[in-house]
Amino acid sequence: MKTERSEALFERAKKTIPGGVNSPVRAFRGVGGVPRFIRRGEGARLIDEDGNSYIDYVGSWGPLLLGHRFPEVIEALRSVLDVGTSFGAPTEREIELAEMIRGAVPSMEMVRLVNSGTEATMSALRVARGFTGRDLTIKFEGCYHGHVDSLLVKAGSGMATLAISDTVGVPASFAATTIALPYNNIPALEEAFAAHGDNIAAVIVEPVVGNMGCVPPLPGFHQAIRALTEKHGALYIFDEVMTGFRVAHGGAQSLYGIKPDLTTLGKVIGGGLPIAAYGGRADIMSKVAPVGPIYQAGTLSGNPMAVSAGLAMLRHLAAHPEIYTDLERRAAALCANPPKGITINRVGSMFTWFFTDSPVIDWDTAAKSDKAAYARFFHWMLEHGVYLAPSQFEAAFLSAAHTDDDIALTIQAAHAFFHQ
Ligand SMILES: *Cc1c(COP(=O)(O)O)cnc(C)c1O
């Protein structure tokens, strides 16, 4: 496989962009080698600057549930070009997107649009603090909620890949507002509430973790958080930036029957454009400016391009519920019969092949994976035209654009790796 152009571009990029990339995990540090510079995408395929074609299981890290250049999204974007790309004033389509979100995720009685998942979780956390008058947040080790100062504690994703547990640049006093607990561990949660219950503003959780690899909640975990937050007057924040419209049309909260107080969305709701949202109980969201005293704003929030792409995406998903049953069937086929020494975790169309033979239920068990073996697997798959996340601690995503042939080719390549 030729990689000359990617190599040259990477060398050039490193001179003006830290590490040559605009988000750390893109640099292939977890697996070594040269990141592929992408020329274009089409359906489930990525084509790089050297002309190599890959079956894409990264999907822009989650947003592309319908694949690259989904026709209705492209058409919606074209139509916006005729009317203007930003007004900084309200538009009808923002109401429509908020209504569609509430229709699919009823716990989001009121919705505010923002530009990234990071902004959504940062804002939700501020609202939780403002509403409760408390300072502390509980998060879980290995969960990533964007690069919000106080949440960059044992934060999974790129930090796990680079083995950074607490980032430089976050004041100790900010980090001290966060209690990091093991995922799926109810006794640890009970202990934290017993010690600090009166000062806990919120528990924030990835309802299905994607950012230490895919780790589903054990039965009863979410119910326990819901009961403890209610008992102690703390808010329950579902960070569904990854899982929203991904694991089910109504997100993970519809799968597990949980009604969180606040929810964050991102990724899929933008159809590949930068948009995210936070929302929840009307009494809480009514504390947000301009009606309430909790300030949050954005020059490009509700941007017409992003909102139109998101609307096209959500309209298509609402009209085609069969997409989720189809994704489930095909993802199950892809994840069937793990080879010896591999643990596959999967919820719907997100999954991870962990290079360990013991169950992965939290950060400590995920960290037992053989990262060197994952790196060998990653490069093998890449060479065979399958583009996976360049880290053991990320989820893979199947899209509606993947064909049964794509899946067969992927299984074939993986089978050849395990039977070398
Ligand atoms: C990706 C992600 C974020 C951050 O979203 P950005 O758009 O990258 O800022 C937050 N939470 C979760 C669960 C995510 O997967």
Side-chain angles (χ1 to χ4, degrees):
M1 191 172 270
K2 243 179 56 174
T3 58
E4 284 154 35
R5 251 189 86 63
S6 280
E7 280 168 45
L9 289 168
F10 192 40
E11 285 313 309
R12 181 173 150 210
K14 281 191 285 192
K15 293 186 179 128
T16 48
I17 302 172
V21 291
N22 281 310
S23 196
V25 79
R26 295 178 196 172
F28 279 31
R29 287 285 176 101
V31 293
V34 175
R36 303 303 196 254
F37 280 66
I38 303 304
R39 183 185 299 161
R40 64 187 184 87
E42 195 67 57
R45 289 270 167 179
L46 277 178
I47 292 97
D48 74 12
E49 289 287 356
D50 289 284
N52 303 307
S53 167
Y54 307 92
I55 304 169
D56 179 17
Y57 290 99
V58 175
S60 189
W61 301 91
L64 301 181
L65 185 65
L66 302 176
H68 296 272
R69 300 189 75 250
F70 187 68
E72 286 158 49
V73 171
I74 300 299
E75 206 34 62
L77 287 171
R78 283 215 178 90
S79 72
V80 178
L81 295 177
D82 294 334
V83 295
T85 56
S86 188
F87 310 122
T91 59
E92 184 172 1
R93 57 172 85 77
E94 291 162 80
I95 315 172
E96 210 179 323
L97 185 58
E99 288 170 350
M100 286 213 80
I101 289 173
R102 188 182 58 187
V105 188
S107 74
M108 297 179 80
E109 295 165 0
M110 299 191 87
V111 181
R112 184 47 81 74
L113 298 178
V114 293
N115 306 292
S116 72
T118 297
E119 241 189 283
T121 57
M122 180 186 77
S123 306
L125 213 57
R126 181 178 304 143
V127 168
R129 290 185 172 127
F131 183 79
T132 59
R134 300 169 176 185
D135 286 342
L136 296 180
T137 309
I138 290 179
K139 78 173 286 283
F140 297 96
E141 296 165 10
C143 287
Y144 178 66
H145 304 291
H147 60 98
V148 179
D149 275 332
S150 65
L151 293 175
L152 278 182
V153 179
K154 300 185 176 163
S157 188
M159 283 176 72
T161 305
L162 298 170
I164 300 172
S165 80
D166 301 291
T167 189
V168 167
V170 173
S173 58
F174 289 19
T177 61
T178 304
I179 302 170
L181 301 176
Y183 197 76
N184 274 329
N185 187 325
I186 297 171
L189 194 68
E190 285 169 340
E191 239 172 79
F193 269 103
H196 308 285
D198 292 347
N199 199 20
I200 293 171
V203 176
I204 186 167
V205 67
E206 278 188 74
V208 175
V209 190
N211 287 296
M212 55 176 145
C214 179
V215 178
L218 292 174
F221 182 53
H222 286 308
Q223 285 73 11
I225 303 177
R226 183 65 281 186
L228 280 164
T229 46
E230 247 162 42
K231 180 173 164 207
H232 292 274
L235 301 187
Y236 194 7
I237 306 174
F238 254 41
D239 179 359
E240 298 227 44
V241 170
M242 187 181 286
T243 54
F245 294 92
R246 162 64 62 183
V247 295
H249 188 245
Q253 53 197 273
S254 72
L255 275 188
Y256 300 107
I258 294 289
K259 189 166 183 256
D261 302 299
L262 292 172
T263 297
T264 54
L265 296 171
K267 298 193 170 120
V268 173
I269 68 159
L273 270 85
I275 196 169
Y278 70 98
R281 274 166 47 192
D283 61 325
I284 300 173
M285 291 302 288
S286 300
K287 302 288 186 218
V288 175
V291 277
I294 304 171
Y295 199 73
Q296 182 270 315
T299 302
L300 291 176
S301 292
N303 173 263
M305 296 290 278
V307 170
S308 297
L311 264 178
M313 185 86 177
L314 297 199
R315 279 194 194 122
H316 186 86
L317 294 176
H320 296 277
E322 74 280 3
I323 282 177
Y324 291 97
T325 30
D326 197 47
L327 282 169
E328 171 67 28
R329 176 183 63 76
R330 288 180 307 121
L334 184 53
C335 294
N337 308 316
K340 215 171 151 311
I342 301 293
T343 297
I344 302 182
N345 281 356
R346 180 184 72 83
V347 176
S349 57
M350 59 189 269
F351 55 92
T352 298
W353 307 31
F354 287 102
F355 279 66
T356 170
D357 49 17
S358 45
V360 176
I361 58 158
D362 58 12
W363 169 246
D364 286 348
T365 47
K368 278 189 194 145
S369 303
D370 182 345
K371 293 184 280 296
Y374 180 83
R376 286 194 295 279
F377 176 64
F378 168 84
H379 284 293
W380 173 279
M381 296 300 275
L382 196 65
E383 284 296 314
H384 288 76
V386 178
Y387 190 90
L388 301 172
S391 167
Q392 172 72 95
F393 305 118
E394 302 287 351
F397 301 104
L398 190 71
S399 80
H402 288 85
T403 61
D404 287 339
D405 274 354
D406 289 331
I407 290 172
L409 280 171
T410 306
I411 292 173
Q412 218 172 60
H415 189 268
F417 174 82
F418 289 107
H419 297 86
Q420 291 175 68

